[in-house]
Amino acid sequence: MTSLLANPVDAMSLSAQAPLPASAAELAKRGQIHATAQKFEASFITTVFQTMFQDVNTDSAFSGGQGEDMWKGFLAEEMAKSVAKRGGIGISHAVEREMLKMQGLSDAPATPPSTSAASTDSPPANTFAASLPRAGDAPAKKPVLQ
């Protein structure tokens, strides 16, 4: 009969091999951290866009006057939210990773209890830079009104 103590098992090596499923509370916390990091990035991008648009002058014939100046901030904010939602410029990934460390969670994606996910450290492929048109791309076709 073989003794269980004859081959001790290192608990750290077991946890490194097979990730344990995340609890609902951990998944909720990770979701909140992701949303917060994305909002932070959107806030940063809003500031960048507002600074960019600050010196843009429109022709007086097409100017919206004071109303245009008032709505420029809202436009910059919505554009920044859209950019951040599509992958942003990479700030949210770094912020999210640091926030996870502060909460004592690993930066590897958590696996829900019913499924298993492969862990990757690369950001999503749908980043802002990937969404920009490249040289040589055909121009987008405009809809024809009939």
Side-chain angles (χ1 to χ4, degrees), residues 60-123:
S60 62
F62 297 104
S63 174
Q66 291 178 347
E68 179 181 357
D69 291 336
M70 185 175 72
W71 289 98
K72 265 187 193 178
F74 292 116
L75 175 64
E77 184 177 349
E78 289 304 313
M79 286 174 31
K81 285 179 186 176
S82 177
V83 168
K85 191 180 286 185
R86 291 176 166 254
I89 56 177
I91 294 172
S92 67
H93 302 296
V95 169
E96 184 175 355
R97 188 170 43 250
E98 291 303 314
M99 289 176 72
L100 286 169
K101 282 182 190 176
M102 289 172 46
Q103 295 294 321
L105 301 170
S106 71
D107 60 348
T111 58
S114 61
T115 63
S116 64
S119 106
T120 60
D121 289 345
S122 61

Side-chain angles (χ1 to χ4, degrees), residues 41-56:
E41 183 172 29
S43 175
F44 175 79
I45 296 171
T46 297
T47 304
V48 170
F49 284 170
Q50 285 176 339
T51 304
M52 234 171 45
F53 292 142
Q54 160 180 329
D55 294 330
V56 174

